[in-house]
Amino acid sequence: MTSSGECKKVINAIGMMSGTSLDGLDIAAVEFFEHDNNWSFKLQEAETISYTTEWKKRLETAHLLPGTELAKLNAKYGIFLGEQAHQFIDNTKFAADLIASHGHTVFHQPENGFTLQIGSGAHLATKSNCLTICDFRTGDVALGGQGAPLVPIGDSLLFSEYDYCLNLGGFANISYNEKGIRLAFDNCPVNIVLNPLAEEFGLPYDKNGELGRKGKVNESLLKKLNALSYYHQKPPKSLGREWIEAEFLPILNASELNTQDKMRTIYEHIAVQITKDLSGEGKMLVTGGGAFNSFLIERMQALTTTEIVLPEPDLIDYKEAIVFAFMGVLRLREQVNCLASVTGARKDSCGGVIFLP
């Protein structure tokens, strides 16, 4: 780390995020300001790069690839990320000090001691010609943690005015303070199960929950989903594609309900699982693609007296990319960016691997 990295009070960082719902690649250019160990930020530019059909298929089937093909995809995806970052910087003229990339999760099995986010940092740094930080989860897993969720460090330092921070993406994850300690965990699946059902109607997702709204709650299916053992575990805990395939989908696929009734029941399930973790007081910031789903927000608000706050669309879309940019800033400054109270690791850590162009 350079001395300028240690002393600089304003840092320009680009965050890159690809979520499990495969909506696209989010890129956010953010200016971060430090004042007496307090942080603030300004989102300067942001865009989402939609995946082509080919890229979406590559990423959603990556876990099925043999080792050599997965290694090849890791490099190709790193090149793709680097090209997109280079184009973004060229278009926006943003003077980036660093790029922080989440990568795309292929495997997440912290109970077995590993997690894998592809998108080669070396290739990304070379193609973008910018210092790059990636692989934010592995260090925490090595310390016995879940490697997830990681966003709570941003919730704690950038969004402390809210009692809860909820992200609705492929999965829902929530973050809050309890007795001065930051806690966070994955609540339940969201778009990772809803989007494939919407695709049965030829739609990429269920806009505003219109499909699910027309269905009926099936109490039997709802009861089975709510009874899944994960929901009765205490945090730290996290979810991944493997859990969906092993636990959630067998119950869903065994049901003979029509698709809209399945969707309506899943909406109720999501609302139940999220609101049961709320005290009924204070304010909750809701971001991620699911925040635009008006029916889901309605169902959540119907089950809690906690005030649901929907911010401006740019923050809904890009909060995770903003926080990963911030995690990169903290990594460059060798400050804690991963909280043991959240992940269950043996200690707080400073995660991320640095690649120079």
Side-chain angles (χ1 to χ4, degrees), residues 320-347:
E320 284 201 307
I322 290 167
V323 172
F324 271 94
F326 182 55
M327 290 183 67
V329 169
L330 294 176
R331 172 65 185 91
L332 197 64
R333 294 167 66 93
E334 297 182 357
Q335 295 175 2
V336 167
N337 64 5
C338 192
L339 301 171
S341 63
V342 167
T343 68
R346 289 190 289 279
K347 61 178 182 178

Side-chain angles (χ1 to χ4, degrees), residues 206-345:
D206 185 15
K207 185 176 181 180
N208 295 324
E210 290 167 4
L211 292 171
R213 189 189 290 272
K214 295 172 184 174
K216 295 179 181 178
V217 175
N218 181 276
E219 294 296 337
S220 175
L221 176 59
L222 180 62
K223 188 175 181 180
K224 289 175 183 175
L225 293 176
N226 286 337
L228 283 165
S229 62
Y230 176 83
Y231 300 128
H232 305 284
Q233 295 170 19
K234 291 185 177 180
K237 58 182 182 176
S238 62
L239 291 169
R241 173 191 46 77
E242 293 91 336
W243 180 85
I244 295 293
E245 293 175 352
E247 303 284 341
F248 197 94
L249 289 183
I251 294 173
L252 192 65
N253 294 339
S255 170
E256 296 181 356
L257 296 174
N258 65 56
T259 303
Q260 284 181 299
D261 286 352
K262 285 182 180 179
M263 295 180 83
R264 177 65 185 89
T265 305
I266 291 170
Y267 277 117
E268 200 67 17
H269 170 68
I270 294 167
V272 167
Q273 291 306 323
I274 290 171
T275 58
K276 75 179 176 61
D277 295 315
L278 306 178
S279 67
E281 300 174 352
K283 297 188 296 185
M284 178 168 70
L285 178 71
V286 181
T287 56
F292 293 110
N293 188 316
S294 52
F295 181 59
L296 177 55
I297 300 301
E298 281 175 31
R299 288 311 307 146
M300 288 165 46
Q301 191 64 85
L303 298 180
T304 183
T305 51
T306 297
E307 180 189 352
I308 292 176
V309 178
L310 298 176
E312 63 274 15
D314 274 356
L315 188 55
I316 288 177
D317 279 330
Y318 298 108
K319 176 173 173 270
E320 284 201 307
I322 290 167
V323 172
F324 271 94
F326 182 55
M327 290 183 67
V329 169
L330 294 176
R331 172 65 185 91
L332 197 64
R333 294 167 66 93
E334 297 182 357
Q335 295 175 2
V336 167
N337 64 5
C338 192
L339 301 171
S341 63
V342 167
T343 68

Side-chain angles (χ1 to χ4, degrees), residues 1-9 11 329 332-334:
M1 183 172 67
T2 65
S3 58
S4 62
E6 293 171 358
C7 302
K8 196 169 184 182
K9 293 296 183 181
I11 301 182
V329 169
L332 197 64
R333 294 167 66 93
E334 297 182 357

Side-chain angles (χ1 to χ4, degrees), residues 58-111:
R58 280 178 181 171
L59 295 174
E60 67 188 2
T61 59
H63 63 290
L64 303 174
L65 294 175
T68 52
E69 290 301 310
L70 183 56
K72 188 188 295 185
L73 180 62
N74 179 47
K76 281 186 176 179
Y77 189 54
I79 291 169
F80 169 81
L81 293 175
E83 289 172 344
Q84 298 304 321
H86 186 275
Q87 187 67 53
F88 179 80
I89 291 169
D90 202 42
N91 291 344
T92 62
K93 310 303 179 191
F94 184 71
D97 295 308
L98 65 94
I99 294 170
S101 173
H102 171 270
H104 190 79
T105 300
V106 177
F107 300 112
H108 183 64
Q109 299 182 29
E111 70 280 4

